[in-house]
Structure formats: structure tokens, C-alpha cells
Amino acid sequence: MKSFYITTAIDYANGSPHLGHAYEKVLTDVVARFRRLMGDDVYFLTGIDEHGQKVQQSAAKRDIQPIELCDEAAGQFKELCESLNISNDDFIRTTETRHKDVVRKILQDLFDRDEIYKAEYKGFYSARAEQFLQEKDMVDGKWPEIFGEVTEITESNYFFKLSKYQDWLIEHIKTHEDFIFPRFRAKQVLEFLKEPINDLCISRPKERLEWGIPLPFDDGYVTYVWFDALVNYISAVGYGTPDFEKYWPVDYHVIGKDILLPPHSVYWPIMLKAIGVEIPSSLLVHGWWSINGDKMSKSTGNFIEPSEFVKEYSVDALRYFLIREMSVGQDSDFSDELFTNRYNSDLANDLGNLLNRVLTMTPRYCGDTFPARSVDEEPEKELEEAWANTEGKVVELYEDFQFHKGLELTFAFIRSINRYAEQRSPWKLAKSEDQKDKDTCATALSLMAESLRRAVGLLEPVMPETTARVYELLGYESDAAWLERLKPSDALTGAKVGERVILFPKPQQEKK
Ligand code: MSP
């Protein structure tokens, strides 16, 4: 069976992990967990991008070797994955032999087939962006700030014949609706491709840059960092071995909007086409987070340390916020206020209070185990109907990457359970001597617990620890497939009620 193969971008080794990296990993993890729950054999890759001028310069500034800087960064990004509970199967570093060998093999292959040629280049170069520029990159006659100092240089370099594939690429994008998600991003790529594209300079002379993969056919040069980095997606899954077929073509490359054009939508498909490999099924392009309405930047202090939020709240609280707040593909803003509002209203109040009610009232009014249900009147029917309208829709929304809407519906259902609790008011029924009231009280507590069990099931791709914890507190154990677990059942009848805990304490409250 072919695996469901999904990747994140590989992060630059010369920066520290920030909220943008955290989001991309969490989003990819949510898709990966969802697909696993749906029965796919998932393979999830992430990693870091270690070569290039910026790494060489940052290491030189600190008077250390580039590899020492990369080792440090690899540690930090692996820690980020652990702290966010990311379920990646592999973590690739572009300095690993398994990767470097594949890059060199591909370069040699392209060179042997005349897809790479040497030519003299005269033009503008930005050291900061590690990229050659054209006059059309100027804005109002000036180089935009992101390019830093731009100098005019003349040098011989190797070029990859991108331009001859332009028409093929345009045709592919036009005829493969699913190639770029969301679709409006495909329009931007087609717009870009209206102008002729240049061949890609894939080498850097060693005297200017040493920290890279030497070209196999000319060791006076190293490989351009994007050509090197993109190859990680195939070097990690055994390109050139029989294993490769199990993973390729990749199902989704999850990337931010800034690296769609040109690397992922132009260079990468053409590189693959030129070596005779199928191109990716789909690029899932997400938007960018700003903080307090501004660009994220460490130097101005407008920066969020994702691990601080995990420490202060919980990993699931951060995962929930990131996925609930951003519609995949659009931009979003992060602020302490937005975070605490969501945390307090959805997690502490709606979900936390419901769990609290179930764990406090059941032992008080019914004993140590969850009772059976014997009453089925209008309030029960309404709650069951609310579930029937939620479950299938949420799964469909998840399938479509509309996770924020799926969570919105799930929390609307959680609020329906709370409304049902108010309507039935077990605390009042428990005072009655009447048998019918006693039965209704038992039914209400049982149905609240059962509905909560189903609701936290829907949260599993996003908040796996919360689902496991609530299952445990409800005494629920099951080996059944996920979709089965979402179905109504009386599995909780007779299950032992867990001890009361506060899952999402308000900052001034103590966790138990
Ligand atoms: N190394 C390249 C990617 C090579 S992939 C073969 C790179 N690295 S990066 O560290 O700058 O960015 C890694 C990912 O984080 C990118 O997909 C980028 O879009 C994403 N983000 C960086 N800042 C972001 C936000 N502020 N918000 C959301 N995602 C952001 O590019």
C-alpha cells in the first residue's frame, strides 16, 4: 500500500524556532494525525535546511564551525517538535550523507543529459537573499530592503534549463486543480508564468561560499541552497531505491505562502520533471502569522516563543489556538488577548466546565460508575440530533483542511451539551424522591458523559493529549477505529468515573 506522505518545509538553521515554524508543524501534524485516524499509513517528514551563506556568516560571527551551528539548531528544532507533540516519522538534516549523495547524483544526472550548462553571468547579486536579481526586482528604482546590499558581479556559473519546461508547467497547473491549495494561489503562479522564466543558476563559486554541497562535476563550486534543500523531500524517502515507490509522489508539501513562488511551484516540479520523477500531488500553502498586527521580528521584540505558551498553558491549548484561529491559506494575527480569550471561553469554560460537571455530579448523585440511560424525551432527542448534525460535517471539513470550522462546530456541540445540562438540571432532579426524576437525573449525567466522549473524539487530531486524558477520566478504553469511536454507544455504562481535575486552569487556578 502506498503511504500517505506529507512534509513541512525545512527550516533555516540560522534562525531560532518561532510561532510561524510552530504553526506549520502543528498544521501538518493535524493533517497527519487525521489521516492516520482515517486509516492511512502516514509518513510525516520535517527537518532543517543547513547550507548556504547565512549559516556560514552566522557561524563565522560566533567563531564556530558551520556544522556546530547546525548541530545546535537541529537540537532546537527537534525540541520544538517534541514540545508541540509533533508525530513526525523522520527529521532530515541537509548535511546528512543520505541527502548529500542524492543531491550529487541528481546534479550529475542532469549534467550528463545536458540539462545543466556553464555560462558567464553578469548582473546583480544580493548576498542577503543569496540570489541573482534583475532590474524588474527593483521597486521605484531601488532594491527592496529584503535584498540588503546589492552588487554587480561577473562570474561563471552553472545553469539548469528551467525555461524549456515553462509551457509544460503552465499546462500542468491549468489541468490539475488539486496541485495548489488554496486555488487562488495557483492563479498567482499562472500570473507569474505569463512572463518568460530564466534558467536557474544552481552553483556558487567556492571562493564566495564554501558551506554547501560541492558540484560532482566541478569542485570549484557548491550547490545553490534552494536546489539542495528541495531535494530533501526525496532524499529522505530513499530516492534511487525500491523503497521510494512506497512514498512518492508526495501527497502534500505543506509550505508558507512566501516559498510557493518560485521554489516550490516552479523550480521543484521542473527539477523532478527533468529527472523523470512524478511531480508532487499537491502543495498546501498556508498564510502567515503576524503578532499584534505587525510582522514577527526578534530584533524589534515582536516575537513569540512558542515554548513559553506551552509551559504556561499547555501544548493542546497552543495547538487549539493555532488551528482554531487560522483559516488554512489566510493570514492571521496573534496577541495575548486573543489567546487568553479563546483559552478562557472555549477551553476553560465550555469544555473544562462540562468535564468538571460530569466528574463532580456523577459520583455525588449516582455513585462511582456511569449509570445507564432509560429516559428518551425531547431534550435527549435534541442533543442526539445535534450530534448527528455535527459528526459527519466535522469529518468532511477536516478532509477539506477546514479545521477551524470543524473546531467551531465541535465547540458548538459542546455548548449544546452544557445547555442540555442546564435544561435537565441534575442538581434539582437529585433532590426529588420521585423515581422518574431519579431516572432522568441518571440519564442526563450519562448522556452528558457520553456526548463529551464523542466530542473529545473529534478533537483528537488537534488535541491528542486532551482526548486521551478525557477518555481516561471517563473510564473509556477502546481499540476501535476512530470513526467507530465517534458513533453513539453505551460503552460508558458501568465505567468508573475518574477523579475531578481541572484540565484547563485559568492562570490563577492550580492544576491538579
Ligand atoms: N529553508 C526554507 C525552506 C526550504 S523547503 C525545501 C525556509 N525556511 S524558513 O525557516 O524561513 O521558513 C520555514 C517555514 O516557516 C516556511 O514555510 C515559512 O513560510 C514558514 N514561516 C516563517 N514565518 C512564518 C510566519 N510568520 N507565519 C507562518 N509561517 C511562517 O523558508
Side-chain angles (χ1 to χ4, degrees):
M1 180 169 110
K2 188 193 165 295
S3 291
F4 176 92
Y5 180 31
I6 187 163
T7 66
T8 66
I10 49 172
D11 305 316
Y12 284 130
N14 65 310
S16 27
H18 57 57
L19 192 78
H21 301 128
Y23 172 70
E24 186 169 297
K25 293 195 196 301
V26 171
L27 170 65
T28 314
D29 188 58
V30 170
V31 180
R33 285 179 187 271
F34 171 64
R35 297 302 337 169
R36 274 191 212 106
L37 291 169
M38 294 296 280
D40 286 338
D41 171 23
V42 172
Y43 197 79
F44 171 7
L45 173 72
T46 189
I48 54 170
D49 186 354
E50 301 185 303
H51 291 123
Q53 199 144 352
K54 281 178 240 158
V55 172
Q56 181 172 302
Q57 282 166 350
S58 307
K61 255 192 224 153
R62 290 176 50 194
D63 210 12
I64 57 172
Q65 291 302 315
I67 192 66
E68 292 177 67
L69 187 139
C70 294
D71 287 345
E72 219 176 85
Q76 287 176 1
F77 279 97
K78 282 182 182 168
E79 249 172 57
L80 176 74
C81 290
E82 269 164 43
S83 72
L84 294 171
N85 199 5
I86 303 300
S87 61
N88 55 304
D89 297 285
D90 194 358
F91 186 99
I92 190 159
R93 300 181 52 177
T94 54
T95 48
E96 288 174 67
T97 312
R98 61 168 171 162
H99 173 73
K100 291 191 285 193
D101 285 353
V102 174
V103 172
R104 287 164 63 86
K105 182 180 151 95
I106 291 174
L107 285 165
Q108 187 65 54
D109 184 22
L110 292 173
F111 187 69
D112 292 345
R113 289 199 280 127
D114 281 337
E115 296 277 354
I116 287 177
Y117 62 92
K118 193 172 188 183
E120 180 147 290
Y121 175 88
K122 184 168 183 290
F124 301 103
Y125 184 75
S126 151
R128 185 186 291 172
E130 290 180 54
Q131 162 187 341
F132 292 99
L133 305 175
Q134 294 171 3
E135 280 182 43
K136 69 170 189 216
D137 295 316
M138 287 186 157
V139 178
D140 301 332
K142 284 193 202 140
W143 299 110
E145 230 184 270
I146 46 160
F147 295 127
E149 194 190 342
V150 176
T151 44
E152 209 170 355
I153 57 171
T154 307
E155 66 185 25
S156 284
N157 264 309
Y158 288 89
F159 292 82
F160 169 49
K161 293 180 182 168
L162 274 192
S163 50
K164 72 181 226 203
Y165 293 100
Q166 181 158 1
D167 292 340
W168 161 81
L169 183 60
I170 293 173
E171 192 53 27
H172 184 87
I173 298 173
K174 283 189 177 158
T175 52
H176 292 75
E177 285 264 318
D178 295 339
F179 181 50
I180 301 174
F181 179 94
R183 194 66 194 154
F184 75 90
R185 295 275 173 212
K187 295 206 180 97
Q188 290 173 351
V189 176
L190 288 171
E191 202 51 46
F192 175 89
L193 289 170
K194 278 188 178 154
E195 297 279 320
I197 52 173
N198 294 323
D199 289 344
L200 177 66
C201 176
I202 51 105
S203 62
R204 297 293 182 264
K206 264 206 182 140
E207 58 270 18
R208 204 145 56 71
L209 174 68
E210 269 183 69
W211 186 238
I213 303 176
L215 295 185
F217 41 83
D218 188 340
D219 68 6
Y221 293 85
V222 298
T223 314
Y224 170 46
V225 68
W226 267 107
F227 192 99
D228 160 355
L230 288 161
V231 171
N232 91 88
Y233 300 133
I234 60 175
S235 62
V237 288
Y239 173 69
T241 72
D243 272 3
F244 186 58
E245 303 292 302
K246 184 166 185 293
Y247 306 99
W248 204 261
V250 67
D251 292 85
Y252 290 97
H253 285 316
V254 180
I255 54 169
K257 62 179 184 180
D258 58 317
I259 57 172
L260 172 68
L261 258 176
H264 283 86
S265 58
V266 180
Y267 305 162
W268 185 225
I270 295 182
M271 283 162 69
L272 289 165
K273 173 79 179 159
I275 56 171
V277 170
E278 238 182 288
I279 73 168
S281 306
S282 197
L283 306 172
L284 175 53
V285 189
H286 63 76
W288 265 40
W289 283 93
S290 53
I291 296 178
N292 299 315
D294 269 331
K295 200 173 173 315
M296 207 181 304
S297 151
K298 203 158 192 177
S299 51
T300 62
N302 202 34
F303 190 81
I304 296 271
E305 220 39 276
S307 54
E308 294 299 313
F309 277 79
V310 171
K311 264 186 240 143
E312 187 165 350
Y313 294 90
S314 65
V315 55
D316 277 0
L318 180 62
R319 290 173 63 105
Y320 175 72
F321 179 84
L322 293 174
I323 299 299
R324 173 66 185 84
E325 209 59 31
M326 192 180 248
S327 149
V328 176
Q330 305 297 319
D331 293 338
S332 213
D333 190 47
F334 193 101
S335 72
D336 282 350
E337 202 188 337
L338 282 171
F339 184 90
T340 37
N341 284 348
R342 273 254 169 259
Y343 182 87
N344 288 336
S345 68
D346 300 2
L347 300 182
N349 291 345
D350 295 342
L351 178 58
N353 279 348
L354 172 61
L355 176 71
N356 211 354
R357 278 173 155 175
V358 168
L359 297 178
T360 321
M361 290 195 284
T362 314
R364 191 175 295 160
Y365 306 133
C366 301
D368 290 353
T369 57
F370 288 106
R373 298 188 285 279
S374 54
V375 176
D376 188 19
E377 293 175 348
E378 214 34 50
E380 286 71 34
K381 288 192 192 348
E382 267 175 28
L383 186 58
E384 289 296 17
E385 206 179 300
W387 175 252
N389 288 331
T390 304
E391 180 211 345
K393 264 193 213 142
V394 172
V395 174
E396 257 171 45
L397 287 165
Y398 283 1
E399 254 166 347
D400 232 11
F401 308 114
Q402 305 283 305
F403 298 108
H404 67 299
K405 285 197 186 148
L407 291 176
E408 192 182 346
L409 281 191
T410 305
F411 274 81
F413 177 68
I414 290 173
R415 284 191 293 277
S416 307
I417 314 176
N418 280 319
R419 270 198 306 277
Y420 169 77
E422 300 290 333
Q423 216 178 345
R424 281 307 197 188
S425 304
W427 51 93
K428 286 188 194 146
L429 294 169
K431 288 188 194 134
S432 162
E433 289 304 315
D434 184 75
Q435 187 55 41
K436 169 76 195 321
D437 287 343
K438 286 189 195 305
D439 291 347
T440 309
C441 176
T443 296
L445 287 167
S446 169
L447 189 59
M448 283 160 63
E450 161 61 12
S451 302
L452 172 61
R453 180 192 71 78
R454 294 179 216 155
V456 294
L458 280 180
L459 297 178
E460 188 165 341
V462 184
M463 305 171 78
E465 278 189 0
T466 303
T467 307
R469 193 73 210 287
V470 174
Y471 276 179
E472 190 189 313
L473 292 165
L474 297 179
Y476 178 62
E477 270 179 62
S478 168
D479 293 334
W482 186 57
L483 291 176
E484 267 317 295
R485 282 191 270 129
L486 297 179
K487 295 271 170 274
S489 102
D490 44 22
L492 295 189
T493 306
K496 195 164 167 10
V497 184
E499 238 181 79
R500 182 178 166 259
V501 291
I502 297 176
L503 267 198
F504 297 103
K506 303 234 170 114
Q508 70 278 14
Q509 271 176 318
E510 282 288 308
K511 273 193 204 179
K512 203 183 143 196

Short mmCIF file of all heavy atoms in Angstrom, two decimals, residues 357 361 365 418-431 437 440-441 444-445 448:
data_model
loop_
_atom_site.label_atom_id
_atom_site.label_comp_id
_atom_site.label_asym_id
_atom_site.label_seq_id
_atom_site.Cartn_x
_atom_site.Cartn_y
_atom_site.Cartn_z
N ARG A 357 -18.39 19.27 35.57
CA ARG A 357 -19.77 18.93 35.98
C ARG A 357 -19.95 17.42 36.00
O ARG A 357 -20.50 16.85 36.94
CB ARG A 357 -20.76 19.51 34.98
CG ARG A 357 -21.07 20.96 35.21
CD ARG A 357 -21.90 21.50 34.08
NE ARG A 357 -22.69 22.64 34.53
CZ ARG A 357 -23.44 23.37 33.73
NH1 ARG A 357 -23.52 23.09 32.44
NH2 ARG A 357 -24.13 24.38 34.20
N MET A 361 -20.72 15.75 39.52
CA MET A 361 -22.12 15.38 39.81
C MET A 361 -22.37 13.88 39.76
O MET A 361 -23.18 13.37 40.52
CB MET A 361 -23.06 16.10 38.85
CG MET A 361 -23.14 17.59 39.12
SD MET A 361 -24.54 18.33 38.29
CE MET A 361 -24.01 18.41 36.62
N TYR A 365 -24.45 12.13 42.73
CA TYR A 365 -25.86 11.73 42.59
C TYR A 365 -26.05 10.28 42.17
O TYR A 365 -27.14 9.74 42.32
CB TYR A 365 -26.58 12.65 41.59
CG TYR A 365 -26.45 14.12 41.92
CD1 TYR A 365 -26.12 15.05 40.94
CD2 TYR A 365 -26.66 14.57 43.24
CE1 TYR A 365 -25.98 16.39 41.25
CE2 TYR A 365 -26.51 15.91 43.54
CZ TYR A 365 -26.16 16.82 42.56
OH TYR A 365 -26.01 18.14 42.86
N ASN A 418 -23.76 21.55 27.33
CA ASN A 418 -23.92 22.39 28.52
C ASN A 418 -25.35 22.92 28.64
O ASN A 418 -25.90 23.00 29.74
CB ASN A 418 -22.91 23.55 28.51
CG ASN A 418 -21.54 23.09 29.00
OD1 ASN A 418 -21.44 22.33 29.96
ND2 ASN A 418 -20.49 23.53 28.33
N ARG A 419 -25.95 23.25 27.48
CA ARG A 419 -27.35 23.73 27.52
C ARG A 419 -28.28 22.61 27.98
O ARG A 419 -29.21 22.82 28.74
CB ARG A 419 -27.78 24.24 26.15
CG ARG A 419 -27.50 25.72 25.96
CD ARG A 419 -28.30 26.30 24.80
NE ARG A 419 -28.09 25.54 23.58
CZ ARG A 419 -27.05 25.73 22.76
NH1 ARG A 419 -26.15 26.66 23.04
NH2 ARG A 419 -26.91 25.01 21.67
N TYR A 420 -27.99 21.41 27.51
CA TYR A 420 -28.79 20.25 27.92
C TYR A 420 -28.69 20.06 29.44
O TYR A 420 -29.68 19.80 30.12
CB TYR A 420 -28.29 19.01 27.16
CG TYR A 420 -28.83 17.70 27.67
CD1 TYR A 420 -30.14 17.30 27.37
CD2 TYR A 420 -28.06 16.87 28.48
CE1 TYR A 420 -30.64 16.09 27.84
CE2 TYR A 420 -28.55 15.66 28.96
CZ TYR A 420 -29.84 15.28 28.64
OH TYR A 420 -30.35 14.10 29.12
N ALA A 421 -27.46 20.23 29.95
CA ALA A 421 -27.26 20.09 31.40
C ALA A 421 -28.12 21.10 32.17
O ALA A 421 -28.76 20.77 33.17
CB ALA A 421 -25.78 20.26 31.74
N GLU A 422 -28.15 22.34 31.65
CA GLU A 422 -28.96 23.37 32.32
C GLU A 422 -30.43 22.99 32.25
O GLU A 422 -31.17 23.12 33.23
CB GLU A 422 -28.82 24.73 31.61
CG GLU A 422 -27.42 25.31 31.56
CD GLU A 422 -26.94 25.77 32.92
OE1 GLU A 422 -27.81 26.11 33.75
OE2 GLU A 422 -25.71 25.76 33.15
N GLN A 423 -30.83 22.51 31.09
CA GLN A 423 -32.23 22.17 30.88
C GLN A 423 -32.66 21.07 31.84
O GLN A 423 -33.71 21.16 32.47
CB GLN A 423 -32.35 21.67 29.44
CG GLN A 423 -33.59 22.04 28.73
CD GLN A 423 -33.52 21.49 27.29
OE1 GLN A 423 -32.45 21.09 26.80
NE2 GLN A 423 -34.64 21.45 26.63
N ARG A 424 -31.86 20.05 31.95
CA ARG A 424 -32.21 18.92 32.82
C ARG A 424 -31.89 19.19 34.29
O ARG A 424 -32.47 18.57 35.18
CB ARG A 424 -31.47 17.64 32.36
CG ARG A 424 -32.09 16.96 31.14
CD ARG A 424 -33.56 16.69 31.36
NE ARG A 424 -34.15 15.72 30.45
CZ ARG A 424 -35.45 15.46 30.38
NH1 ARG A 424 -36.30 16.12 31.15
NH2 ARG A 424 -35.91 14.57 29.54
N SER A 425 -30.95 20.06 34.53
CA SER A 425 -30.54 20.42 35.90
C SER A 425 -30.47 19.22 36.85
O SER A 425 -31.30 19.11 37.77
CB SER A 425 -31.47 21.48 36.49
OG SER A 425 -31.51 22.59 35.68
N PRO A 426 -29.54 18.31 36.68
CA PRO A 426 -29.48 17.13 37.54
C PRO A 426 -29.44 17.49 39.03
O PRO A 426 -29.96 16.76 39.87
CB PRO A 426 -28.17 16.45 37.13
CG PRO A 426 -27.81 17.01 35.81
CD PRO A 426 -28.46 18.35 35.69
N TRP A 427 -28.83 18.65 39.36
CA TRP A 427 -28.75 19.08 40.76
C TRP A 427 -30.13 19.29 41.37
O TRP A 427 -30.32 19.11 42.57
CB TRP A 427 -27.87 20.32 40.90
CG TRP A 427 -28.23 21.45 39.95
CD1 TRP A 427 -29.06 22.49 40.20
CD2 TRP A 427 -27.77 21.60 38.59
NE1 TRP A 427 -29.16 23.29 39.10
CE2 TRP A 427 -28.39 22.79 38.09
CE3 TRP A 427 -26.93 20.88 37.76
CZ2 TRP A 427 -28.17 23.27 36.79
CZ3 TRP A 427 -26.72 21.36 36.47
CH2 TRP A 427 -27.32 22.53 35.99
N LYS A 428 -31.14 19.63 40.53
CA LYS A 428 -32.50 19.78 41.05
C LYS A 428 -33.18 18.42 41.11
O LYS A 428 -33.80 18.06 42.10
CB LYS A 428 -33.33 20.71 40.16
CG LYS A 428 -32.95 22.17 40.32
CD LYS A 428 -33.93 23.05 39.56
CE LYS A 428 -33.37 24.45 39.42
NZ LYS A 428 -33.75 25.08 38.16
N LEU A 429 -33.04 17.65 40.02
CA LEU A 429 -33.70 16.34 39.94
C LEU A 429 -33.25 15.43 41.09
O LEU A 429 -34.02 14.64 41.63
CB LEU A 429 -33.36 15.65 38.61
CG LEU A 429 -33.92 16.32 37.35
CD1 LEU A 429 -33.29 15.71 36.10
CD2 LEU A 429 -35.44 16.16 37.29
N ALA A 430 -31.96 15.59 41.48
CA ALA A 430 -31.40 14.69 42.50
C ALA A 430 -32.09 14.86 43.84
O ALA A 430 -32.07 13.96 44.68
CB ALA A 430 -29.91 14.93 42.63
N LYS A 431 -32.71 16.04 44.02
CA LYS A 431 -33.36 16.28 45.32
C LYS A 431 -34.72 15.61 45.40
O LYS A 431 -35.29 15.46 46.47
CB LYS A 431 -33.54 17.79 45.52
CG LYS A 431 -32.23 18.49 45.79
CD LYS A 431 -32.49 19.94 46.19
CE LYS A 431 -31.19 20.72 46.13
NZ LYS A 431 -31.35 22.00 45.46
N ASP A 437 -37.87 11.18 38.27
CA ASP A 437 -36.85 12.23 38.36
C ASP A 437 -35.47 11.62 38.56
O ASP A 437 -34.47 12.08 38.01
CB ASP A 437 -37.16 13.20 39.51
CG ASP A 437 -38.33 14.11 39.15
OD1 ASP A 437 -38.66 14.20 37.95
OD2 ASP A 437 -38.92 14.69 40.08
N THR A 440 -34.35 10.34 35.26
CA THR A 440 -33.96 11.43 34.37
C THR A 440 -32.60 11.99 34.78
O THR A 440 -31.77 12.31 33.93
CB THR A 440 -35.03 12.55 34.39
OG1 THR A 440 -36.30 11.94 34.16
CG2 THR A 440 -34.77 13.59 33.32
N CYS A 441 -32.38 12.07 36.08
CA CYS A 441 -31.09 12.58 36.57
C CYS A 441 -29.96 11.66 36.09
O CYS A 441 -28.93 12.12 35.56
CB CYS A 441 -31.13 12.63 38.10
SG CYS A 441 -29.59 13.13 38.84
N ALA A 444 -29.47 12.00 32.35
CA ALA A 444 -28.82 13.27 31.97
C ALA A 444 -27.32 13.18 32.19
O ALA A 444 -26.52 13.54 31.32
CB ALA A 444 -29.42 14.42 32.77
N LEU A 445 -26.91 12.66 33.35
CA LEU A 445 -25.47 12.58 33.63
C LEU A 445 -24.79 11.61 32.67
O LEU A 445 -23.68 11.85 32.19
CB LEU A 445 -25.24 12.18 35.08
CG LEU A 445 -25.57 13.33 36.04
CD1 LEU A 445 -25.63 12.84 37.48
CD2 LEU A 445 -24.54 14.45 35.91
N MET A 448 -24.61 13.26 29.21
CA MET A 448 -23.58 14.31 29.19
C MET A 448 -22.20 13.68 29.02
O MET A 448 -21.38 14.14 28.22
CB MET A 448 -23.61 15.13 30.50
CG MET A 448 -24.75 16.13 30.57
SD MET A 448 -25.11 16.63 32.28
CE MET A 448 -23.58 17.41 32.75
#
